[in-house]
PDB file of all heavy atoms in Angstrom:
ATOM      1  N   ASP B 217     -21.428  14.396  -6.467  1.00  0.00           N
ATOM      2  CA  ASP B 217     -21.159  14.290  -5.005  1.00  0.00           C
ATOM      3  C   ASP B 217     -19.737  14.684  -4.645  1.00  0.00           C
ATOM      4  O   ASP B 217     -19.412  15.431  -3.597  1.00  0.00           O
ATOM      5  CB  ASP B 217     -21.471  12.891  -4.533  1.00  0.00           C
ATOM      6  CG  ASP B 217     -22.857  12.444  -4.859  1.00  0.00           C
ATOM      7  OD1 ASP B 217     -23.386  12.869  -5.928  1.00  0.00           O
ATOM      8  OD2 ASP B 217     -23.515  11.675  -4.087  1.00  0.00           O
ATOM      9  N   ASP B 218     -18.730  14.126  -5.408  1.00  0.00           N
ATOM     10  CA  ASP B 218     -17.350  14.406  -5.094  1.00  0.00           C
ATOM     11  C   ASP B 218     -17.017  15.860  -5.269  1.00  0.00           C
ATOM     12  O   ASP B 218     -16.339  16.405  -4.464  1.00  0.00           O
ATOM     13  CB  ASP B 218     -16.522  13.516  -5.982  1.00  0.00           C
ATOM     14  CG  ASP B 218     -16.410  12.060  -5.620  1.00  0.00           C
ATOM     15  OD1 ASP B 218     -16.291  11.846  -4.451  1.00  0.00           O
ATOM     16  OD2 ASP B 218     -16.519  11.303  -6.576  1.00  0.00           O
ATOM     17  N   PHE B 219     -17.526  16.442  -6.319  1.00  0.00           N
ATOM     18  CA  PHE B 219     -17.258  17.933  -6.607  1.00  0.00           C
ATOM     19  C   PHE B 219     -17.780  18.658  -5.396  1.00  0.00           C
ATOM     20  O   PHE B 219     -17.148  19.589  -4.906  1.00  0.00           O
ATOM     21  CB  PHE B 219     -17.911  18.287  -7.877  1.00  0.00           C
ATOM     22  CG  PHE B 219     -17.588  19.770  -8.133  1.00  0.00           C
ATOM     23  CD1 PHE B 219     -16.442  20.099  -8.791  1.00  0.00           C
ATOM     24  CD2 PHE B 219     -18.463  20.843  -7.835  1.00  0.00           C
ATOM     25  CE1 PHE B 219     -16.159  21.393  -9.111  1.00  0.00           C
ATOM     26  CE2 PHE B 219     -18.178  22.169  -8.189  1.00  0.00           C
ATOM     27  CZ  PHE B 219     -16.993  22.405  -8.830  1.00  0.00           C
ATOM     28  N   LEU B 220     -19.070  18.403  -4.913  1.00  0.00           N
ATOM     29  CA  LEU B 220     -19.709  19.072  -3.777  1.00  0.00           C
ATOM     30  C   LEU B 220     -18.835  18.959  -2.555  1.00  0.00           C
ATOM     31  O   LEU B 220     -18.600  19.906  -1.791  1.00  0.00           O
ATOM     32  CB  LEU B 220     -21.022  18.564  -3.593  1.00  0.00           C
ATOM     33  CG  LEU B 220     -21.818  19.300  -2.407  1.00  0.00           C
ATOM     34  CD1 LEU B 220     -22.201  20.781  -2.865  1.00  0.00           C
ATOM     35  CD2 LEU B 220     -23.093  18.584  -2.089  1.00  0.00           C
ATOM     36  N   MET B 221     -18.313  17.656  -2.357  1.00  0.00           N
ATOM     37  CA  MET B 221     -17.524  17.362  -1.065  1.00  0.00           C
ATOM     38  C   MET B 221     -16.289  18.417  -1.184  1.00  0.00           C
ATOM     39  O   MET B 221     -15.961  18.976  -0.170  1.00  0.00           O
ATOM     40  CB  MET B 221     -16.942  15.947  -1.074  1.00  0.00           C
ATOM     41  CG  MET B 221     -17.949  14.993  -0.620  1.00  0.00           C
ATOM     42  SD  MET B 221     -17.120  13.376  -0.530  1.00  0.00           S
ATOM     43  CE  MET B 221     -18.391  12.410  -1.339  1.00  0.00           C
ATOM     44  N   GLY B 222     -15.677  18.522  -2.326  1.00  0.00           N
ATOM     45  CA  GLY B 222     -14.513  19.426  -2.369  1.00  0.00           C
ATOM     46  C   GLY B 222     -14.831  20.887  -2.258  1.00  0.00           C
ATOM     47  O   GLY B 222     -14.256  21.616  -1.518  1.00  0.00           O
ATOM     48  N   ALA B 223     -15.955  21.315  -2.896  1.00  0.00           N
ATOM     49  CA  ALA B 223     -16.299  22.679  -3.011  1.00  0.00           C
ATOM     50  C   ALA B 223     -16.870  23.148  -1.541  1.00  0.00           C
ATOM     51  O   ALA B 223     -16.379  24.134  -1.014  1.00  0.00           O
ATOM     52  CB  ALA B 223     -17.341  22.971  -4.158  1.00  0.00           C
ATOM     53  N   ALA B 224     -17.863  22.306  -1.112  1.00  0.00           N
ATOM     54  CA  ALA B 224     -18.447  22.790   0.145  1.00  0.00           C
ATOM     55  C   ALA B 224     -17.572  22.546   1.339  1.00  0.00           C
ATOM     56  O   ALA B 224     -17.555  23.323   2.215  1.00  0.00           O
ATOM     57  CB  ALA B 224     -19.807  22.011   0.308  1.00  0.00           C
ATOM     58  N   GLY B 225     -16.817  21.404   1.266  1.00  0.00           N
ATOM     59  CA  GLY B 225     -15.846  21.115   2.329  1.00  0.00           C
ATOM     60  C   GLY B 225     -14.847  22.247   2.447  1.00  0.00           C
ATOM     61  O   GLY B 225     -14.471  22.667   3.612  1.00  0.00           O
ATOM     62  N   THR B 226     -14.332  22.683   1.453  1.00  0.00           N
ATOM     63  CA  THR B 226     -13.304  23.722   1.444  1.00  0.00           C
ATOM     64  C   THR B 226     -13.910  25.074   1.919  1.00  0.00           C
ATOM     65  O   THR B 226     -13.387  25.771   2.700  1.00  0.00           O
ATOM     66  CB  THR B 226     -12.750  23.877   0.058  1.00  0.00           C
ATOM     67  OG1 THR B 226     -12.138  22.680  -0.425  1.00  0.00           O
ATOM     68  CG2 THR B 226     -11.609  25.052   0.042  1.00  0.00           C
ATOM     69  N   TYR B 227     -15.181  25.331   1.420  1.00  0.00           N
ATOM     70  CA  TYR B 227     -15.836  26.563   1.879  1.00  0.00           C
ATOM     71  C   TYR B 227     -16.006  26.604   3.410  1.00  0.00           C
ATOM     72  O   TYR B 227     -15.675  27.558   3.990  1.00  0.00           O
ATOM     73  CB  TYR B 227     -17.215  26.585   1.081  1.00  0.00           C
ATOM     74  CG  TYR B 227     -17.977  27.838   1.446  1.00  0.00           C
ATOM     75  CD1 TYR B 227     -17.655  29.049   1.015  1.00  0.00           C
ATOM     76  CD2 TYR B 227     -19.254  27.757   2.143  1.00  0.00           C
ATOM     77  CE1 TYR B 227     -18.453  30.230   1.283  1.00  0.00           C
ATOM     78  CE2 TYR B 227     -20.033  28.812   2.496  1.00  0.00           C
ATOM     79  CZ  TYR B 227     -19.674  30.046   2.037  1.00  0.00           C
ATOM     80  OH  TYR B 227     -20.406  31.182   2.216  1.00  0.00           O
ATOM     81  N   ASN B 228     -16.510  25.480   3.985  1.00  0.00           N
ATOM     82  CA  ASN B 228     -16.721  25.454   5.423  1.00  0.00           C
ATOM     83  C   ASN B 228     -15.365  25.542   6.169  1.00  0.00           C
ATOM     84  O   ASN B 228     -15.249  26.118   7.232  1.00  0.00           O
ATOM     85  CB  ASN B 228     -17.538  24.235   5.788  1.00  0.00           C
ATOM     86  CG  ASN B 228     -19.006  24.439   5.489  1.00  0.00           C
ATOM     87  OD1 ASN B 228     -19.427  25.455   5.170  1.00  0.00           O
ATOM     88  ND2 ASN B 228     -19.781  23.394   5.724  1.00  0.00           N
ATOM     89  N   ALA B 229     -14.374  24.920   5.512  1.00  0.00           N
ATOM     90  CA  ALA B 229     -13.076  24.835   6.148  1.00  0.00           C
ATOM     91  C   ALA B 229     -12.472  26.273   6.160  1.00  0.00           C
ATOM     92  O   ALA B 229     -11.878  26.788   7.208  1.00  0.00           O
ATOM     93  CB  ALA B 229     -12.059  24.065   5.449  1.00  0.00           C
TER      94      ALA B 229
END
Side-chain angles (χ1 to χ4, degrees):
Chain B
D217 301 33
D218 285 315
F219 184 83
L220 182 72
M221 279 182 226
T226 302
Y227 181 68
N228 283 354

